[in-house]
Amino acid sequence: MKDSLLNRLDETTLRTLVERAGARDTALITVGETLHIEDRNEVAAQLTKLRPLERVDQVLSEVAVTALRTCIREGEPCTVYEELDDVLYRLELIPREGGALLAFLRDDRADYDGSLRALHVKTIDHLGKLLADAEQIEDAALAAKTKRHCLRLDRMLIHSDLLHDPPMLEHLRLEWDDLSEQCREAAEQVAAHSEIGRARTIDVQVPEECIALTEPRLIRTALYNLLTNALRVTPPTGDIAITLHDDGKFFTITVADRGRGMDAELFHTLLTGWHRSMPFEDYISITRKGASPGLGLPLTQRIAQVHGGNLLLSPREGGGSQLHLSIAHLPEALAENSAHAPMFADTGYTLEELEFSVLD
């Protein structure tokens, strides 16, 4: 079969696929309501060894099959993680007329080898010693500067760790938490840690209360990254806005800035550039557009994905960009099965000290 499945997808399905998964090197399968394969591309043929008219559920886990049936029945996309041949994939399930599209994306966890883990552990250990030495410096300004740079490196390593070896949904320490309060507190923390006058207004428009099942520290990390990015690109006279919406299936936190605005191609590059090589000329081109390639946005997207959502972009009326962090309404049963082991090592520093170390 020629690799032309993308050409046969309807516009709505294709647009949803690009938003949630992209289409490069992705294994794609279309199925009907009975879960029989209607079509697949060559990548999917090699991955699953299945042919058209065979049932896709014979290679999927029970969790994935249940999610697929729900996707077809309710007409809503969702994300699950699926292991095939000892490789972990992020499986995007996208509804289409009379069935669904399955998109398998290889998870970066598979490429996270022991050498990188050892490098992270040793580097964090050395940073800990350097931070302890910084506390002994008599010059207060020099001590503060040394500490801030150490915390920046520590933050980068923690972000890299979470990106290369992300927690799966069933491994999160899920709790019932108030997203409205998270948004309000995040705005207060950013205002407290940012340079006075950097952004004059952070407008928070959220419901009085919005209870969701999440991993609170991860959500707070995502909010801090979105807000610090907005702070960097927004001029002193600009405003930053945070809104929260619940449509019954997804909670969506939107952070709007007054920067130059970001197009879809640049947004895709910022989300994917961290795990692929990038020519120096491309890097310079990105920075000239006012963007800052880093791990913050990719980590925020990953946090959304492990909560069953995604990170999306749209233009802001009047100038600037809006980043939409969506979080799925997770089943209550997951709260009862939440892991009891701590997710994060205690570094002795607060999340705020780490995340806001990047602010001058």
Side-chain angles (χ1 to χ4, degrees):
M1 183 187 74
K2 293 185 178 180
D3 222 2
S4 57
L5 174 56
L6 287 175
N7 296 329
R8 295 192 292 278
L9 294 177
D10 62 88
E11 183 179 350
T12 300
T13 304
L14 183 58
R15 185 184 299 113
T16 306
L17 168 64
V18 172
E19 288 178 348
R20 296 178 68 86
R24 300 175 182 175
D25 303 320
T26 301
L28 302 174
I29 298 175
T30 56
V31 299
E33 293 180 353
T34 61
L35 306 192
H36 286 85
I37 295 176
E38 297 176 346
D39 207 348
R40 84 278 192 262
N41 64 0
E42 287 299 327
V43 181
Q46 296 175 16
L47 175 64
T48 65
K49 308 299 189 294
L50 295 178
R51 300 177 179 179
L53 300 184
E54 292 187 287
R55 291 178 63 95
V56 73
D57 52 344
Q58 63 182 296
V59 298
L60 299 178
S61 67
E62 183 178 345
V63 171
V65 172
T66 300
L68 176 58
R69 293 186 186 279
T70 302
C71 169
I72 295 173
R73 183 178 65 253
E74 298 184 358
E76 292 291 339
C78 68
T79 305
V80 295
Y81 284 85
E82 188 75 350
E83 189 172 295
L84 295 177
D85 296 330
D86 297 323
V87 175
L88 187 67
Y89 292 86
R90 192 179 93 236
L91 175 55
E92 294 288 353
L93 304 174
I94 302 169
R96 54 190 294 272
E97 186 175 357
L101 171 71
L102 291 78
F104 292 84
L105 290 92
R106 178 159 178 161
D107 194 270
D108 299 296
R109 183 196 304 261
D111 299 325
Y112 194 52
D113 62 19
S115 62
L116 186 55
R117 171 75 71 186
L119 176 63
H120 280 194
V121 171
K122 288 182 178 296
T123 304
I124 289 177
D125 181 55
H126 290 313
L127 282 174
K129 295 175 181 177
L130 187 56
L131 279 164
D133 291 340
E135 301 289 345
Q136 308 303 317
I137 298 176
E138 294 184 2
D139 185 326
L142 178 60
K145 186 175 182 179
T146 302
K147 178 181 177 180
R148 185 170 69 254
H149 284 295
C150 287
L151 289 174
R152 285 179 177 180
L153 287 171
D154 205 354
R155 172 183 179 272
M156 180 186 68
L157 290 169
I158 292 172
H159 285 196
S160 177
D161 212 22
L162 285 170
L163 275 168
H164 284 92
D165 194 16
M168 296 178 68
L169 179 60
E170 59 267 30
H171 297 152
L172 300 182
R173 289 182 56 84
L174 297 172
E175 301 175 16
W176 294 107
D177 192 42
D178 186 355
L179 291 179
S180 293
E181 187 62 22
Q182 283 264 36
C183 291
R184 287 189 288 263
E185 289 185 357
E188 292 174 2
Q189 288 290 341
V190 168
H193 287 82
S194 63
E195 181 182 333
I196 296 176
R198 184 69 182 91
R200 302 190 179 209
T201 306
I202 299 180
D203 183 25
V204 182
Q205 299 183 21
V206 297
E208 183 176 346
E209 185 179 73
C210 185
I211 304 300
L213 186 59
T214 67
E215 206 300 324
R217 183 180 172 112
L218 285 180
I219 298 300
R220 198 157 71 252
T221 298
L223 281 172
Y224 287 166
N225 276 278
L226 290 177
L227 287 167
T228 52
N229 281 338
L231 199 64
R232 285 195 189 99
V233 301
T234 300
T237 55
D239 65 293
I240 296 171
I242 308 174
T243 58
L244 171 60
H245 176 67
D246 177 12
D247 66 6
K249 294 182 179 179
F250 287 91
F251 304 98
T252 301
I253 300 172
T254 299
V255 175
D257 63 55
R258 287 298 183 193
R260 298 182 186 179
M262 190 187 313
D263 59 36
E265 182 179 355
L266 177 59
F267 183 58
H268 175 75
T269 300
L270 292 177
L271 291 183
T272 62
W274 66 275
H275 62 74
R276 58 183 174 82
S277 60
M278 180 183 298
F280 181 70
E281 293 79 7
D282 291 351
Y283 180 86
I284 295 299
S285 176
I286 291 173
T287 57
R288 284 175 178 168
K289 294 179 181 179
S292 177
L295 302 180
L297 285 183
L299 177 60
T300 301
Q301 182 192 46
R302 184 57 58 88
I303 290 171
Q305 288 168 347
V306 298
H307 283 86
N310 209 342
L311 180 65
L312 301 175
L313 168 76
S314 71
R316 185 183 186 186
E317 185 177 353
S321 298
Q322 297 182 119
L323 289 174
H324 310 277
L325 174 71
S326 67
I327 304 164
H329 279 243
L330 299 177
E332 293 185 16
L334 289 176
E336 302 171 3
N337 299 322
S338 184
H340 296 290
M343 273 192 60
F344 303 94
D346 184 7
T347 61
Y349 295 95
T350 67
L351 180 62
E352 288 71 28
E353 287 179 295
L354 289 167
E355 292 299 330
F356 296 133
S357 64
V358 296
L359 297 175
D360 292 323

